[in-house]
Amino acid sequence: MRRKIPMLATAFMMLATVLPLSATQAAGATDDEGRRGITWGPCEEEPTVECGTLAVPIDWSKPYGATVKLALARRKATDPSARIGSLLTNPGGPGNSGVNDILRPSGFSEDVQRRFDIVSYDPRGVARSGSTTCTASVYNEMPYPVMTSQADYDKWVAFNAKLHADCRKQTGPLYDHLDSANVARDMDAIRAALGEDKLTSYGVSYGTLAQQMYAEMYPNRIRAMVLDSNMDHSLNVKGFQVTEAATVQDSFDEFVAWCERDTDCVLHGRDVKALWKGLLEKADRGELYWPGFTDRPVSAHNLLWLGVVLNEAPVWRQEAKVLLALDGGPIPDDMGNPPGNGPVNGEFAELPTAILCQDWNLSLRNYDEYADVMRASNAVAPDLRYNPMPMGDMPLCQGHQVPVNNPQHRLRYTGSTPLLVGTSMHDPDTPYEWSANVARQLGAKATLLTYEGWGHGIYGMTQCTTEAMDNYLISLTVPARGARCPAEEPQG
């Protein structure tokens, strides 16, 4: 159930928050919505899985106003006699489909599958739950994501005015209510509709942000909560980008170190960093093409995506083969498609970045401020330059075209239920320090579980990490403070 990006696929990251409802009002509203219940039936795509919908308010400050239907999917506990309750999972992204996660074979252990109904959903604005929709022809006018002048910054602001107006028109009123605080309210409505007095949940990557908001808003309604590979919602825009740059550089360094020590690496004995530098320079000149395609140029920005997606599992053997192919070597059978973002086909495009822009104030005053963020990112990432995921999304948040409903702030958890925070030491997406900081913000009731190895999302990574999380979910046994799981060499 880790956050998954298909290999080389198109991607995708103030203490007092003003909430439309007080916590008490919100709790009453979600109970009202939850009492409507969910009508379950076999999923069309996979009849062994149950699908359903739950109507929730588009604007939770108007609980009896217009609604959006959340799409849900459920795999029932394999041993009803041992069933504990429902386990609600929060998909990553932003923009990942929880329904799709459940339609696939579960990534949870047999013991968890035996004891829980495993439930997930498409968050508001995603896939089947009122997806954020834009006209493809407008979306495809998107400027190059890396700015080099004030003129570039002005071009992005003008484009955003056009794009977000179009997306708002295509999506409807939901477009301005996509943030993770609203998703947390939806989670509580799902909890009530499932008939659970308290929530048991697992979230990974961007899904942890909705869980953090839930813990803040409904501290006494949690049975167990696993937060795997966390977002740190306390960071300002510069801190966000610089820590992302540092972590993707760290993962690349780990790949290079593996290639130096493992003869199975097809680049073993070569200067991998020099090869990578040459590929980036070639991409900068517009001379790098995807192997096997003379009409598929790869920009430097999109090339950087290899440093993200190939280090998430990680798949180091494949990463080495891909870099060798880009350098003129043999093309592996599983080469896949070019990395990064590009034009979309068809009439419409989805824009999950709108969710990010409502959860994070990533706006900058001008190009000079943008250049300062970029320089700081370059300084900590001499080979990777920056993390293309959040740096590529940030331009879409310029110009104040969407409301920042859930701006950054330090967490305030007042509940008594112990929470489990997990992370790996070398994660290309969500830095180790993010989860460590989240655990500190949550306070004495949060335990940090550290996997000393690599990759994004530690549930299912090793027996040690999985058993620790399973014991917590099933029996509420919290790992010892400072618990660590040893690294295991990635196998592919």
Side-chain angles (χ1 to χ4, degrees):
M1 301 300 292
R2 297 194 297 274
R3 175 182 180 269
K4 297 284 187 182
I5 297 179
M7 211 295 284
L8 305 183
T10 298
F12 2 73
M13 77 118 167
M14 301 154 266
L15 186 58
T17 302
V18 180
L19 301 176
L21 298 175
S22 70
T24 302
Q25 291 172 318
T30 52
D31 278 341
D32 289 343
E33 293 304 320
R35 277 193 282 270
R36 297 182 184 183
I38 304 165
T39 301
W40 296 100
C43 297
E44 182 178 349
E45 304 93 324
E46 176 52 70
T48 62
V49 177
E50 294 180 319
C51 283
T53 60
L54 177 66
V56 297
I58 288 175
D59 182 350
W60 274 102
S61 69
K62 301 174 182 176
Y64 304 107
T67 62
V68 58
K69 288 186 176 181
L70 301 178
L72 298 102
R74 173 172 71 177
R75 286 185 181 266
K76 300 197 77 172
T78 59
D79 184 356
S81 65
R83 180 182 179 275
I84 294 171
S86 298
L87 170 61
L88 183 65
T89 72
N90 289 277
N96 288 6
S97 164
V99 171
N100 288 348
D101 285 345
I102 301 298
L103 291 175
R104 294 187 286 265
S106 174
F108 287 101
S109 69
E110 289 185 6
D111 208 15
V112 167
Q113 294 180 62
R114 187 168 73 90
R115 293 173 177 271
F116 290 98
D117 295 344
I118 301 175
V119 181
S120 196
Y121 61 105
D122 291 350
R124 54 173 57 215
V126 173
R128 305 163 187 81
S129 298
S131 126
T132 51
T133 303
C134 314
T135 305
S137 59
V138 176
Y139 178 93
N140 288 340
E141 295 175 14
M142 191 176 297
Y144 188 63
V146 179
M147 305 181 215
T148 59
S149 66
Q150 182 63 39
D152 286 346
Y153 180 86
D154 294 340
K155 184 186 296 185
W156 265 105
V157 171
F159 169 74
N160 285 339
K162 181 177 181 180
L163 176 70
H164 290 296
D166 174 78
C167 302
R168 186 173 284 108
K169 178 181 178 181
Q170 299 297 334
T171 306
L174 181 64
Y175 194 73
D176 290 325
H177 302 277
L178 302 172
D179 60 273
S180 292
N182 276 313
V183 175
R185 297 184 180 97
D186 296 344
M187 288 170 58
D188 201 53
I190 294 170
R191 174 204 57 77
L194 292 171
E196 303 289 348
D197 290 334
K198 292 192 174 184
L199 178 74
T200 301
S201 71
Y202 167 86
V204 63
S205 195
Y206 205 84
T208 63
L209 185 53
Q211 287 184 294
Q212 292 168 24
M213 297 303 100
Y214 190 95
E216 191 169 73
M217 297 162 63
Y218 306 100
N220 300 316
R221 292 194 171 190
I222 301 171
R223 174 189 170 271
M225 179 177 284
V226 174
L227 302 108
D228 189 348
S229 305
N230 281 255
M231 305 298 293
D232 182 356
H233 201 225
S234 69
L235 296 171
N236 62 23
V237 59
K238 188 172 182 179
F240 181 59
Q241 294 291 2
V242 171
T243 52
E244 282 279 57
T247 205
V248 76
Q249 175 69 41
D250 170 74
S251 289
F252 182 74
D253 289 342
E254 291 294 309
F255 159 68
V256 172
W258 165 80
C259 196
E260 289 176 351
R261 68 177 180 263
D262 195 322
T263 56
D264 283 345
C265 175
V266 297
L267 296 174
H268 182 70
R270 294 191 58 178
D271 187 338
V272 177
K273 290 197 171 186
L275 184 153
W276 174 256
K277 181 181 179 182
L279 293 176
L280 271 176
E281 291 173 347
K282 196 172 181 181
D284 283 332
R285 297 192 299 268
E287 299 172 358
L288 184 66
Y289 289 82
W290 196 242
F293 297 90
T294 57
D295 60 342
R296 306 285 286 273
V298 180
S299 69
H301 176 78
N302 281 351
L303 182 64
L304 296 181
W305 271 100
L306 296 179
V308 178
V309 296
L310 291 175
N311 285 300
E312 287 189 322
V315 284
W316 286 339
R317 291 183 180 87
Q318 189 171 15
E319 184 168 0
K321 292 176 182 177
V322 169
L323 296 186
L324 181 61
L326 283 163
D327 195 45
I331 303 173
D333 293 337
D334 55 356
M335 185 71 177
N337 294 317
N341 297 312
V344 299
N345 298 317
E347 187 177 356
F348 297 106
E350 294 186 21
L351 190 70
T353 302
I355 302 168
L356 178 75
C357 297
Q358 292 185 28
D359 276 324
W360 299 80
N361 185 352
L362 299 179
S363 60
L364 303 166
R365 293 187 299 273
N366 50 37
Y367 171 72
D368 287 343
E369 189 174 5
Y370 171 87
D372 177 63
V373 172
M374 182 64 85
R375 280 192 300 269
S377 298
N378 295 164
V380 299
D383 299 298
L384 271 291
R385 300 181 178 176
Y386 55 86
N387 190 316
M389 184 162 42
M391 193 65 81
D393 284 336
M394 186 168 66
L396 285 158
C397 301
Q398 305 309 305
H400 306 285
Q401 299 300 325
V402 292
V404 185
N405 297 325
N406 182 37
Q408 299 98 305
H409 62 279
R410 291 185 62 82
L411 292 173
R412 296 165 293 169
Y413 176 56
T414 60
S416 59
T417 300
L419 309 179
L420 180 55
V421 178
T423 185
S424 72
M425 292 283 292
H426 307 288
D427 184 328
D429 295 330
T430 54
Y432 176 83
E433 64 189 86
W434 285 11
S435 288
N437 198 28
V438 165
R440 284 191 292 269
Q441 291 174 49
L442 290 171
K445 287 298 179 180
T447 295
L448 178 65
L449 173 66
T450 298
Y451 171 55
E452 296 175 329
W454 309 269
H456 182 55
I458 68 171
Y459 187 93
M461 191 71 77
T462 70
Q463 182 177 348
C464 176
T465 60
T466 304
E467 286 184 351
M469 291 181 170
D470 281 358
N471 289 338
Y472 169 72
L473 288 170
I474 294 168
S475 62
L476 304 180
T477 302
V478 181
R481 189 161 297 279
R484 303 175 81 87
C485 287
E488 296 183 11
E489 193 84 352
Q491 296 304 307

